[in-house]
Each structure stands twice: as structure tokens, then as C-alpha cells.
């Protein structure tokens, strides 16, 4: 391998006072430098080349498997750190809506290298993206190697993860949003309303939750008759059942009257419980 292939572009600016590539841990960088995807697909890429590769991504993730093999996603992140393209190019990655993995790539890179204002401004403006994408987990637990997430949930993790780890990568510390609110760089949002204002109403969240539950049922991870809450059993919430719609849009609840004691219907029900035939009515 030619010397200088893995070195940072001389024109690249330092990020948080360090070499941009050092934002990824040394062991992760060494794994990437030695993988086939880095040597064959990332060699000589510029920002446009990374964009083309980002369009081809099928999942996001860092390293996976017992050998901690690097994913194409994290290889492209390191390539961006190496070439340090103009930040406006990263904004284009984020602003386009046709390719979700290219957007996720730009969001994750911006979270690593961006200023506090740029991170909050651009990530919060993308919180209305509810598309699903696939994540390959770093640690496999049983057969749960893959995870389906939504772009808005992923952004929320980038902004609010308390441990500072997303996709198994340590993120630079992000000051609280209140700091920018106090300096009037961001509009002030009430804490109780922040999620609903930035991520959409509760109805959207319930729809996403219901779709995820149906996916678990299809995979056999959850039984269809397992109710997530007592509200659904009562027919309260988004997906109401056991109601008939009559003329004029009025809902008619099914009325079931218990048979009178000592009537033929009463004794027929008791005989059915014992496996006996019904009495013949006179």
C-alpha cells in the first residue's frame, strides 16, 4: 500500500482541536484500514464519490460480528473524516430526500464534526423524516443482528443520548440546547412540548408504534392476541375494533341481553356447556 493512503488531507481543518480521523477509536480505524471495502471502494474518493457510495448503502452500522468487521457505512464516515469536505456538501447530503442512507450518513458525520448550532439546527429540521432504515448491530444477541429504526428516532438519539454512544461510536459532547436558547441562537421551546413540536403529534408516534408491533408479529416475536395495553382491550386509541357503523355515521355498540332465568334459552345455554343437545321449544 502506497504511503499516505490512510493519512488525513493536509488541507483538512482540525475538529475539536484534533485530527478528524481521531474521532473514531484507534482499533476501529485499524479495522477499517485493513478491510477490503476500504482498499477497493474507498480508495481515491472525493465528496462526490462518497455521495455515490452512500446512495448504494443497504444498512447503517459501525462494526459487526465476532471479528468486529467494519461496515461500508463506517468506512464512508472515516473517508469523510479523512478528506474533510466543505460543510455545505454535507448539508446537501442531509437536505436531499431521495436517498435515506445518504441522509443518515450526513447526519452522523455532522454530529461528529459540526458546531453546536449547526448540529441542532440541521438535525432538528430533519426530525419530520419518519422513514425506516436498517441498522446492523455491533453486538449480536441471539438472532437479533439487525434492527429497524426510523430516521427521526435516530436523530433523537444523536441529540439526546446520555451515554454518548450511537452505533457503537463515541460522540463528542453536545452542550444542552438551553445554552443556545439563552444566547438567542435557537428559538426557545418548552421542555414539555419539545418532542411534540419537533417530531410531530402523538398520532404519528402511535402509528409508528403500531407498525413496529405488526412487524414483530410477522416475525413471530409477538403473538397477535398479546395486547400492548389495557386501552386497546377497551377499544380506546387509534385502532378501535368491535364497533359497527350504522347509517348517518353513527356507531352502534352490539347489545347482548342475558336470557331470563328458567327460560328455554337459559337452559339451552346450560346444556351446551355440558355438551347436551338443545331442548325443543313448544
Amino acid at each position: 500500500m502506497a504511503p499516505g493512503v490512510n493519512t488525513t488531507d493536509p488541507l483538512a481543518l482540525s475538529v475539536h482541536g484534533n485530527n478528524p480521523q481521531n474521532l473514531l477509536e484507534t482499533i476501529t480505524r485499524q479495522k477499517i484500514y485493513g478491510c477490503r471495502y476500504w482498499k477497493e471502494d474507498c480508495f481515491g474518493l472525493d465528496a462526490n464519490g462518497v455521495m455515490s457510495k452512500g446512495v448504494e448503502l443497504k444498512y447503517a452500522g459501525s462494526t459487526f460480528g465476532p471479528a468486529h468487521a467494519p461496515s461500508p457505512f463506517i468506512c464512508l464516515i472515516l473517508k469523510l473524516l479523512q478528506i474533510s469536505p466543505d460543510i455545505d456538501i454535507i448539508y446537501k447530503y442531509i437536505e436531499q430526500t431521495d436517498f435515506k442512507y445518504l441522509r443518515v450518513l450526513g447526519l452522523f458525520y455532522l454530529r461528529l464534526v459540526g458546531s453546536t448550532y449547526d448540529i441542532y439546527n440541521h438535525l432538528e429540521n430533519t426530525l419530520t423524516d419518519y422513514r425506516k432504515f436498517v441498522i446492523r448491530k455491533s453486538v449480536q444477541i441471539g438472532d437479533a443482528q439487525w434492527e429497524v429504526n426510523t430516521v427521526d428516532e435516530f436523530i433523537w438519539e444523536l441529540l439526546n443520548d446520555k451515554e454518548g454512544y450511537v452505533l457503537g461510536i463515541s460522540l463528542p459532547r453536545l452542550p444542552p440546547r438551553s445554552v443556545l436558547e439563552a444566547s438567542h441562537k435557537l428559538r426557545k421551546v418548552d421542555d414539555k412540548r419539545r418532542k411534540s413540536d419537533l417530531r410531530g403529534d402523538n398520532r404519528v408516534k402511535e402509528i409508528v408504534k403500531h407498525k413496529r408491533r405488526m412487524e414483530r408479529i410477522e416475525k413471530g416475536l409477538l403473538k397477535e392476541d398479546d395486547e400492548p395495553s389495557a386501552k386497546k382491550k377497551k377499544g380506546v386509541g387509534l385502532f378501535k375494533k368491535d364497533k359497527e357503523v350504522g347509517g348517518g355515521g353513527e356507531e352502534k355498540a352490539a347489545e347482548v341481553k342475558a336470557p331470563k332465568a328458567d327460560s328455554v334459552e337459559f337452559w339451552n345455554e346450560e346444556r351446551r356447556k355440558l355438551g347436551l343437545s338443545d331442548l325443543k321449544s313448544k
Side-chain angles (χ1 to χ4, degrees):
M1 184 179 294
V5 170
N6 298 330
T7 58
T8 305
D9 190 315
L11 300 179
L13 300 176
S14 63
V15 177
H16 308 302
N18 294 312
N19 184 329
Q21 291 195 77
N22 291 342
L23 291 172
L24 297 186
E25 296 179 354
T26 303
I27 185 63
T28 302
R29 296 200 309 271
Q30 296 304 321
K31 290 285 186 180
I32 294 173
Y33 293 152
C35 78
R36 184 173 180 176
Y37 185 86
W38 175 263
K39 296 175 182 178
E40 296 184 359
D41 292 79
C42 296
F43 178 77
L45 288 181
D46 57 6
N48 290 330
V50 172
M51 180 179 65
S52 299
K53 293 296 181 181
V55 169
E56 299 173 356
L57 289 173
K58 302 299 182 184
Y59 61 89
S62 54
T63 58
F64 59 90
H68 298 285
S71 68
F73 181 89
I74 200 63
C75 290
L76 294 179
I77 289 293
L78 184 61
K79 175 55 68 171
L80 288 174
L81 293 172
Q82 184 186 51
I83 63 177
S84 296
D86 190 276
I87 197 65
D88 290 334
I89 297 177
I90 304 302
Y91 296 158
K92 295 297 182 182
Y93 287 9
I94 297 172
E95 291 168 2
Q96 62 80 33
T97 58
D98 295 327
F99 306 102
K100 56 186 176 183
Y101 288 102
L102 180 61
R103 168 173 276 189
V104 171
L105 185 75
L107 291 168
F108 192 81
Y109 176 78
L110 181 62
R111 177 62 179 84
L112 287 172
V113 306
S115 65
T116 304
Y117 172 77
D118 288 340
I119 291 172
Y120 279 110
N121 186 41
H122 286 85
L123 268 65
E124 287 182 352
N125 287 338
T126 322
L127 278 168
T128 53
D129 189 345
Y130 304 109
R131 289 177 295 178
K132 295 179 181 179
F133 70 101
V134 179
I135 295 176
R136 193 166 192 174
K137 293 184 177 180
S138 300
V139 180
Q140 181 177 350
I141 303 176
D143 296 330
Q145 183 179 1
W146 304 91
E147 177 185 6
V148 177
N149 202 351
T150 57
V151 177
D152 66 307
E153 290 286 350
F154 180 71
I155 295 172
W156 198 254
E157 291 178 13
L158 292 175
L159 293 174
N160 299 280
D161 190 81
K162 295 181 180 180
E163 297 180 358
Y165 278 85
V166 176
L167 300 181
I169 302 298
S170 177
L171 301 176
R173 181 182 176 277
L174 186 66
R177 194 178 194 280
S178 57
V179 175
L180 294 181
E181 291 177 355
S183 58
H184 304 288
K185 293 183 178 180
L186 289 176
R187 64 185 178 90
K188 189 172 183 179
V189 180
D190 182 54
D191 290 339
K192 294 182 179 180
R193 297 179 53 192
R194 185 182 175 198
K195 287 188 178 181
S196 59
D197 286 347
L198 297 177
R199 299 174 60 190
D201 57 22
N202 292 329
R203 181 176 176 82
V204 174
K205 298 176 189 177
E206 289 186 26
I207 292 174
V208 172
K209 185 177 180 181
H210 176 75
K211 289 182 178 179
R212 291 181 180 176
R213 180 175 177 273
M214 297 307 296
E215 288 176 354
R216 294 184 64 191
I217 292 175
E218 293 176 359
K219 295 178 181 179
L221 301 176
L222 186 68
K223 294 182 179 179
E224 190 170 0
D225 55 354
D226 290 342
E227 301 293 339
S229 65
K231 288 185 178 180
K232 188 172 181 181
K233 293 181 180 179
K234 297 178 181 179
V236 179
L238 261 181
F239 308 95
K240 299 180 181 180
K241 296 182 179 179
D242 302 329
K243 288 190 176 181
E244 299 175 356
V245 180
E250 296 180 356
E251 295 181 352
K252 298 181 180 180
E255 296 181 3
V256 179
K257 295 182 179 180
K260 296 180 180 181
D262 297 331
S263 65
V264 175
E265 291 79 9
F266 174 82
W267 289 114
N268 279 341
E269 287 188 4
E270 296 299 319
R271 289 174 65 86
R272 291 187 196 114
K273 294 178 183 178
L274 299 174
L276 302 176
S277 60
D278 292 351
L279 296 172
K280 294 182 180 179
S281 59
K282 296 180 180 181

